[in-house]
Amino acid sequence: MTSENPTLTGPDFGRGINLSDVAPNGMLLGHANGEAVLVSRTGDEVFAISAHCSHYGGPLAEGVLDGDTIHCPWHHACFNVRTGEALRAPALSPVACWQVEQRDGKVMVTNKIERDPLAPTMRVPANADHVTRLERVVIIGAGAAGSAAAEMLRRSGFEGEVTLVDVEEEAPYDRPNVSKDFLAGKMSEECMPLRADGFHAQRGIYIMRGRVTSINPDAKSVSVAGHDDVLYSALLLATGAEPIRLDLPGDDRPHVHYLRSLTDSRAVIAATETARRAVVVGASFIGLEVAASLRARGLDVHVVARESLPLEPVLGPQLGAVVRDLHEKHGVSFHLGHTPARIDDDAVVLDDGTRLPADLVVIGVGVRPRLELATDVGIALDRGVLVNEYLETSIPGIFAAGDIARWPDPHSGQRIRVEHWALAQRMGQAAARNILGARERFTPVPFFWSNHYDMSIRYVGHAESWDATRVEGTEDDSALAVRFERDGQLLALATVARDELSLRTEQMMERVGAVGRGP
């Protein structure tokens, strides 16, 4: 959801400012021709770009400037201040730039420059033999990884055929808001598509609707129900994940829902028109975001989970307690340390016999990767599709990205599989460039965010387990940081209202290329 345009503040750059008004390697927020503009300075060079991130409109002036790159404080997208180029998902489009003139120690912002989001500005170094052989790229899955890969192929100058195959009619769309703002009624359905109608067709990206039934690596073809076989020169598997379904008596009743897709979210919204009492099974990120969204719609909400604190396995006890207290303040009732025994027509019955009245049940206990196609074709698996540092699978010409891929992470020194939107997009972008022969190792530090009412949690790094946590701030503070460590080394950092610390920690981890001590 893009933020509303705030009142313009700061100097009018159209009238000019002194060069000394902008600190070396610093930024200054102002405006030009009625738009918010951020001016930055590198040495004596001055650049001007839009002050708002092209993803959700985050305030770039509150981000971190690192050389020629500005990092957004909200969701860690970043942009080149010289060109406005979007260098990192979740931002997929560039920000606007303005021409800057300097005369006699004065700086003046003049003409605005707009760019096509898929203009080929990130070309891969040419390998003539490889490019000649590469005529058709097929991508299975139009979610975060797949759609980002298709766009990156065009941004990198690929002129051959690009086909996205997905059974969902709406894909690609903004999946994170399926459980957040769209479900809460704060975002209209018109805002859910990632791109406007006609965007992909105008740029030569063909979206085929249908279920992929098989892959033939010898013939380099994909079979899609209702279509002729599709040939490929390179194939990207980006099939994503699906909800874990409970083997629970009554989970097939009409008032019981699982939430993953836009269709699922619509069904839950329709149910809220008559429902008054909801039970959410699972205190996962999805489960808690659903709880917050249902409270925003005025429902009585109870959360059932086997954990002693919500999100404790991921965020630790300190943040888990903060999340629990916040939801309770907003009217959510927790039943922790329990599991559902069955679902009746009008209630959820717990393992201790407690009966929770419910005319709406949403189950959110996690997801599992969709591995059927990879399994059938014989690709090497280990709790996901095994890929190397270039995101290549065990079958030549087939790559994998997103929720299904388990890759060698240089920061943790382990193979990991991570189910987060922004990382899946970044992985799709990297896979696209490697399909084109870039041979670029996939090394980003994992990052995700989760919103709960007016609180947003940022998380950088990856910690499946840890032996110590270091907490800055208290549970009553509005700002909190929790460091997850093993043997004194930083694995991950979770923050609330500590955006600069989160950004700088991410940068530090990227620069050292492996887990290191925090700043």
Side-chain angles (χ1 to χ4, degrees):
M1 180 174 63
T2 304
S3 64
E4 295 181 2
N5 244 347
T7 303
L8 298 176
T9 60
D12 184 345
F13 296 136
R15 295 183 176 181
I17 59 172
N18 295 320
L19 177 62
S20 59
D21 291 340
V22 188
N25 303 313
M27 302 180 290
L28 181 63
L29 176 63
H31 56 93
N33 297 319
E35 296 188 55
V37 174
L38 183 65
V39 163
S40 62
R41 177 179 172 186
T42 302
D44 287 335
E45 292 185 286
V46 179
F47 309 101
I49 62 173
S50 170
H52 299 289
C53 176
S54 62
H55 176 228
Y56 282 178
L60 295 180
E62 297 176 18
V64 171
L65 180 66
D66 182 17
D68 292 345
T69 303
I70 178 71
H71 297 252
C72 178
W74 282 6
H75 307 123
H76 293 206
C78 62
F79 303 89
N80 186 304
V81 298
R82 295 176 181 270
T83 65
E85 182 75 22
L87 301 177
R88 172 173 294 170
L92 299 176
S93 295
V95 292
C97 290
W98 280 261
Q99 292 179 336
V100 177
E101 296 180 5
Q102 290 193 56
R103 290 192 297 269
D104 302 323
K106 291 283 188 178
V107 174
M108 182 175 294
V109 173
T110 58
N111 298 324
K112 184 179 180 180
I113 305 169
E114 299 275 11
R115 289 184 170 84
D116 186 324
L118 300 193
T121 55
M122 301 181 71
R123 292 185 180 273
V124 173
N127 178 322
D129 291 340
H130 180 80
V131 172
T132 299
R133 294 194 305 269
L134 199 65
E135 299 177 356
R136 306 177 189 89
V137 177
V138 174
I139 301 168
I140 302 176
S147 60
E151 292 196 13
M152 182 55 74
L153 289 169
R154 293 298 185 228
R155 288 176 63 189
S156 299
F158 179 60
E159 298 177 354
E161 295 179 14
V162 177
T163 302
L164 271 171
V165 186
D166 201 299
V167 72
E168 277 195 78
E169 288 295 327
E170 300 88 352
Y173 56 86
D174 188 359
R175 193 181 300 276
N177 272 310
V178 161
S179 59
K180 297 183 178 75
D181 286 345
F182 178 67
L183 183 60
K186 299 176 182 177
M187 171 186 278
S188 68
E189 188 157 331
E190 290 71 24
C191 295
M192 288 296 284
L194 290 181
R195 295 300 192 186
D197 286 346
F199 176 91
H200 296 94
Q202 291 168 7
R203 290 155 179 83
I205 299 172
Y206 175 52
I207 302 180
M208 178 181 291
R209 303 298 179 185
R211 184 176 65 87
V212 175
T213 58
S214 64
I215 299 167
N216 186 334
D218 295 326
K220 288 200 167 184
S221 66
V222 173
S223 296
V224 184
H227 299 271
D228 294 334
D229 285 358
V230 183
L231 298 178
Y232 66 83
S233 305
L235 177 67
L236 173 62
L237 292 179
T239 48
E242 61 189 5
I244 295 172
R245 296 186 177 271
L246 297 180
D247 183 12
L248 184 67
D251 74 338
D252 58 348
R253 295 182 185 275
H255 67 299
V256 179
H257 299 264
Y258 290 84
L259 184 63
R260 180 67 177 176
S261 68
L262 181 55
T263 298
D264 297 335
S265 192
R266 290 186 187 126
V268 174
I269 291 170
T272 64
E273 294 178 4
T274 56
R276 291 294 174 264
R277 300 167 300 180
V279 171
V280 177
V281 178
S284 64
F285 287 106
I286 292 293
L288 292 176
E289 288 168 357
V290 168
S293 294
L294 295 181
R295 285 297 299 142
R297 289 183 175 271
L299 275 70
D300 178 36
V301 178
H302 291 250
V303 174
V304 178
R306 66 172 66 248
E307 302 97 306
S308 59
L309 284 170
L311 301 177
E312 184 177 12
V314 179
L315 299 178
Q318 296 89 354
L319 263 179
V322 170
V323 170
R324 178 201 59 201
D325 293 348
L326 179 64
H327 279 269
E328 288 180 339
K329 287 177 182 177
H330 283 81
V332 173
S333 298
F334 284 97
H335 305 267
L336 300 171
H338 292 285
T339 58
R342 70 177 189 273
I343 300 175
D344 293 341
D345 283 336
D346 60 352
V348 175
V349 180
L350 305 188
D351 52 5
D352 64 351
T354 300
R355 186 177 179 86
L356 302 178
D359 35 29
L360 170 62
V361 179
V362 182
I363 300 175
V365 293
V367 298
R368 59 166 57 95
R370 292 189 174 113
L371 302 176
E372 293 82 2
L373 288 172
T375 301
D376 291 345
V377 80
I379 289 174
L381 305 175
D382 176 15
R383 296 165 294 157
V385 175
L386 288 176
V387 295
N388 63 13
E389 62 268 42
Y390 306 111
L391 305 179
E392 298 166 315
T393 72
S394 59
I395 296 181
I398 300 181
F399 295 70
D403 291 355
I404 65 170
R406 184 174 293 277
W407 83 98
D409 173 38
H411 309 284
S412 64
Q414 301 174 339
R415 283 187 172 273
I416 63 175
R417 188 180 66 81
V418 177
E419 299 161 350
H420 297 304
W421 176 261
L423 188 77
Q425 289 181 311
R426 295 170 189 177
M427 193 179 292
Q429 292 174 330
R433 292 181 60 77
N434 284 327
I435 284 171
L436 298 180
R439 304 300 289 173
E440 296 172 354
R441 290 180 171 84
F442 183 68
T443 61
V445 174
F447 164 78
F448 72 86
W449 74 93
S450 182
N451 296 337
H452 304 261
Y453 310 100
D454 57 352
M455 183 182 78
S456 184
I457 299 170
R458 322 273 190 229
Y459 183 103
V460 295
H462 183 74
E464 294 183 6
S465 63
W466 55 87
D467 59 26
T469 59
R470 285 197 292 136
V471 181
E472 296 180 6
T474 69
E475 296 176 8
D476 296 328
D477 286 344
S478 58
L480 188 67
V482 181
R483 300 173 186 270
F484 302 89
E485 300 177 343
R486 183 186 301 119
D487 298 328
Q489 301 297 303
L490 178 66
L491 300 174
L493 174 75
T495 59
V496 175
R498 299 288 299 275
D499 291 345
E500 183 174 349
L501 175 63
S502 180
L503 281 170
R504 293 199 181 280
T505 300
E506 180 183 59
Q507 290 175 317
M508 178 276 298
M509 295 177 79
E510 287 176 345
R511 284 183 174 129
V512 300
V515 173
R517 295 184 183 276

